[in-house]
Amino acid sequence: MSDLPLTTSANTAVAEPVTLVEQRYAERYDTEAHDVWSILYERRMRTLRDTGSEVFLNGMERIGLASDRVPELADVNRRLATRTGWAAIGVGGFLPAAQFFSCLAERRFPTTLSLRSRAQLDYLPEPDIFHDVFGHVPLHADPVFADFLQRFGALAAGAQTPEETTAMARLFWFTVEFGLIRERGRTRVYGSGLISSHGDAANALGSGCDRRPFSLDAVLNEPFEIDHLQNVLFELESFEQLFEAVDALWERRD
Ligand SMILES: [Fe+2]
């Protein structure tokens, strides 16, 4: 499950403005939706208190996600505004790559508003608000990650060739979506695909996954496929490495 627009090649055109979708909270979410949110939240937190990055866990508290109801983006954004200036914005579905990355460059995170049904608790092929807000947004409360993601967006939005676009997709995939980090001597998950999915996280921390030290060139040379569990992932020592990786890519482009 990824927000990454994987099928678009080079972004030579200027991004069109994004069409925002209002959350219309009371209309959109019924009791069943809040129940589904609650089940997903409790199931993931039971494990993430032990296996989730401290940056994610701290971010959860800072943005005030509740266990018993779908988050209201206006509440989340009020809390983010004073910390890092990021905002989650409602969109209707996948955005073209140029739009998606341009939003990141403006500290706006395109967010799906729908929530999976009770019948789809364990797997959903597309992002939903649980993946987008529970999985992604807590990290946006962290100043280092917040700056990295903005700078990543600016770089990716300016990709001129298919090779540059592939490089940015790989960096996004192996960090924002499926990143691991070493904290207090243990491997923790921080990528949204791992935060929001029990199966993906269990695979990432289990014996079937080759966990390699993060290096920019190793990531840029590693292809990925979106439709099965990952057998190679990369582990950071600190989030500063992400910021340095983007800086290095800016220097290579100049
Ligand atoms: Fe995602």
Side-chain angles (χ1 to χ4, degrees):
M1 193 189 309
S2 166
D3 315 291
L4 188 55
L6 297 160
T7 53
T8 309
S9 58
N11 311 311
T12 47
V14 174
E16 293 286 317
V18 174
T19 303
L20 301 182
V21 178
E22 282 184 45
Q23 192 173 19
R24 301 193 318 278
Y25 187 86
E27 284 171 52
R28 192 181 296 272
Y29 309 109
D30 58 11
T31 307
E32 170 74 3
H34 294 300
D35 285 350
V36 167
W37 175 273
S38 181
I39 293 167
L40 291 167
Y41 181 106
E42 294 292 353
R43 284 201 330 189
R44 287 307 294 128
M45 284 308 291
R46 213 173 295 144
T47 307
L48 288 168
R49 287 188 187 97
D50 187 45
T51 60
S53 164
E54 290 168 9
V55 174
F56 164 77
L57 294 169
N58 291 338
M60 285 281 296
E61 277 187 29
R62 288 179 184 145
I63 67 172
L65 294 189
S67 63
D68 60 347
R69 63 189 194 95
V70 178
E72 212 164 340
L73 296 190
D75 291 342
V76 169
N77 290 343
R78 210 172 297 119
R79 286 162 174 262
L80 279 175
T82 56
R83 289 176 166 83
T84 61
W86 270 83
I89 56 167
V91 296
F94 280 110
L95 298 181
Q99 283 189 337
F100 180 79
F101 293 136
S102 294
C103 285
L104 299 186
E106 297 165 348
R107 294 193 177 233
R108 299 192 303 162
F109 188 75
T111 300
T112 315
L113 297 170
S114 58
L115 180 65
R116 71 195 71 182
S117 70
R118 198 182 283 266
Q120 295 173 299
L121 283 181
D122 291 316
Y123 181 73
L124 191 68
E126 295 180 347
D128 68 349
I129 193 169
F130 186 73
H131 173 81
D132 281 343
V133 173
F134 184 90
H136 279 275
V137 175
L139 266 65
H140 304 171
D142 179 73
V144 175
F145 192 89
D147 287 351
F148 150 71
L149 194 58
Q150 176 185 22
R151 208 154 155 69
F152 171 91
L155 186 70
Q160 296 295 315
T161 64
E163 291 74 23
E164 279 186 331
T165 301
T166 297
M168 299 314 292
R170 288 179 179 175
L171 183 56
F172 191 92
W173 183 262
F174 287 114
T175 61
V176 178
E177 291 289 344
F178 282 93
L180 299 168
I181 186 166
R182 196 140 189 93
E183 290 175 344
R184 300 174 192 266
R186 288 175 52 206
T187 302
R188 312 287 180 106
V189 302
Y190 73 88
S192 59
L194 304 178
I195 293 289
S196 65
S197 164
H198 177 76
D200 285 283
N203 172 71
L205 298 172
S207 58
C209 182
D210 180 4
R211 292 177 291 277
R212 301 175 183 173
F214 175 88
S215 92
L216 177 58
D217 286 315
V219 166
L220 297 188
N221 287 318
E222 188 67 35
F224 64 88
E225 293 175 355
I226 63 171
D227 55 355
H228 57 77
L229 294 171
Q230 308 299 305
N231 49 23
V232 175
L233 291 175
F234 295 92
E235 187 172 36
L236 295 171
E237 291 293 330
S238 77
F239 282 115
E240 275 78 9
Q241 284 177 283
L242 292 182
F243 203 84
E244 290 163 10
V246 173
D247 267 356
L249 283 173
W250 274 108
E251 280 176 23
R252 290 181 195 182
R253 183 177 289 175
D254 291 342

